[in-house]
Amino acid sequence: MDCLFCKIAAGEIDSKRVYEDDRVVAFRDINPAAPVHVLVVPREHVSRISEAGEEHAELIGRLHLAAGKIAEAEGLKDYRLVINCGEGAGQSVFHVHLHLLGGRPMSWPPG
Ligand code: AMP
């Protein structure tokens, strides 16, 4: 499958990796939108969060728990977790990922 994040998770494309375990990989975003901008990605390919099923419930939880560990390691007390689902919401890579953003004030609503 020709998927950028599958290749990054497999180590076939370089990334600045900050975390990994048996099911999750996390690396710095190539075009950061905040001083800390990490993408938390499942090793398993799921194209978008709306494609996740009951069988992915634990995996989705793992993404969030990994993000919390990374935030702590990065020294973030306040941070934002974002999943863009679909082009209209800003999704550009169709392999589910959680954005961890921090290190600057965050406004609401997001753009
Ligand atoms: P999204 O727009 O929610 O699908 O997020 C995709 C993110 O992947 C964007 O923030 C991009 O900057 C980031 N990105 C694209 N290519 C790479 C790459 N090779 N390494 C790290 N981040 C990337």
Side-chain angles (χ1 to χ4, degrees), residues 4-5 27-31 39 84 90-93 97 99:
L4 175 62
F5 286 177
F27 50 90
R28 297 196 190 280
D29 196 293
I30 204 167
N31 184 25
L39 302 173
N84 297 321
Q91 187 174 6
S92 59
V93 177
H97 50 282
H99 294 257

Side-chain angles (χ1 to χ4, degrees), residues 57-94:
E58 191 204 333
L59 184 59
I60 293 164
R62 293 263 211 130
L63 291 180
H64 288 77
L65 291 173
K69 288 181 196 167
I70 297 160
E72 192 175 348
E74 295 284 327
L76 298 176
K77 184 168 72 70
D78 300 329
Y79 53 90
R80 184 168 289 171
L81 302 179
V82 174
I83 294 177
N84 297 321
C85 182
E87 279 175 3
Q91 187 174 6
S92 59
V93 177
F94 281 77

